[in-house]
Amino acid sequence: MLDLTIARLRNRWIRNRLRIKELPPLARDNLKALDHLDLKQGAKDLRYVVLDLETTGLSLSCDQVVSMAAYRVVEGRILLGEIFSSLVNPDQAIPPSAVKIHGIVPSMGARAPVVEEVCMPVRRYLGADLRVGSLVNGG
């Protein structure tokens, strides 16, 4: 409960600081993601998006994303018609140890769009829903 209160306060503080600046609609929606939460609601009653990233390895400073996927959960049900999935060109080699984990081979990554081209569609998909993240590293 304290964590949610802190997160809400942080979002309000950020919105107040950014009030004088023009924010893109997606950024404005993102800052409102916690506003509609009620602590009395169960997780099954919430609307959220589960986001999964696959990477080339374990290093946050060296390794890159090779896949982004997300699905929307509403009232405890996955909306199968609203799944987002995209391979991402990591612009670096995908090591065999990573391929063993996620199955994304270098030729698949080479034909995929770069991360900058995938980020905007992902942001649109996320909207103002809560995010639940998963990071599967390929190292």
Side-chain angles (χ1 to χ4, degrees), residues 39-93:
L39 292 177
K40 295 175 186 169
Q41 281 182 305
K44 187 175 179 183
D45 299 325
L46 297 174
R47 177 183 172 101
Y48 53 93
V49 173
V50 177
L51 180 63
D52 178 49
L53 302 177
E54 305 289 342
T55 64
T56 58
L58 297 173
S59 172
L60 292 174
S61 60
C62 298
D63 290 308
Q64 300 297 317
V65 173
V66 295
S67 172
M68 291 185 187
Y71 61 87
R72 192 172 316 284
V73 179
V74 178
E75 296 179 356
R77 295 177 181 228
I78 296 172
L79 301 183
L80 294 175
E82 292 189 31
I83 292 175
F84 178 91
S85 179
S86 178
L87 291 171
V88 178
N89 185 333
D91 200 28
Q92 72 179 59

Side-chain angles (χ1 to χ4, degrees), residues 2-132:
L2 180 61
D3 290 340
L4 177 60
T5 302
I6 291 170
R8 283 180 170 164
L9 289 172
R10 186 177 299 144
N11 276 357
R12 284 189 192 132
W13 178 77
I14 290 169
R15 282 196 304 231
N16 284 336
R17 290 206 48 177
L18 294 175
R19 189 179 313 163
I20 59 172
K21 296 183 180 178
E22 265 314 300
L23 288 178
L26 291 173
R28 195 170 305 283
D29 287 347
N30 189 350
L31 289 172
K32 294 178 182 177
L34 299 177
D35 290 351
H36 65 280
L37 288 183
D38 178 359
L39 292 177
K40 295 175 186 169
Q41 281 182 305
K44 187 175 179 183
D45 299 325
L46 297 174
R47 177 183 172 101
Y48 53 93
V49 173
V50 177
L51 180 63
D52 178 49
L53 302 177
E54 305 289 342
T55 64
T56 58
L58 297 173
S59 172
L60 292 174
S61 60
C62 298
D63 290 308
Q64 300 297 317
V65 173
V66 295
S67 172
M68 291 185 187
Y71 61 87
R72 192 172 316 284
V73 179
V74 178
E75 296 179 356
R77 295 177 181 228
I78 296 172
L79 301 183
L80 294 175
E82 292 189 31
I83 292 175
F84 178 91
S85 179
S86 178
L87 291 171
V88 178
N89 185 333
D91 200 28
Q92 72 179 59
I94 302 174
S97 58
V99 173
K100 286 180 188 176
I101 293 173
H102 50 57
I104 300 169
V105 297
S107 62
M108 294 164 70
R111 294 188 306 256
V114 295
V115 72
E116 292 82 8
E117 295 172 3
V118 178
C119 283
M120 188 53 73
V122 167
R123 285 188 201 137
R124 274 195 290 275
Y125 180 84
L126 295 173
D129 290 340
L130 291 173
R131 282 90 168 165
V132 178

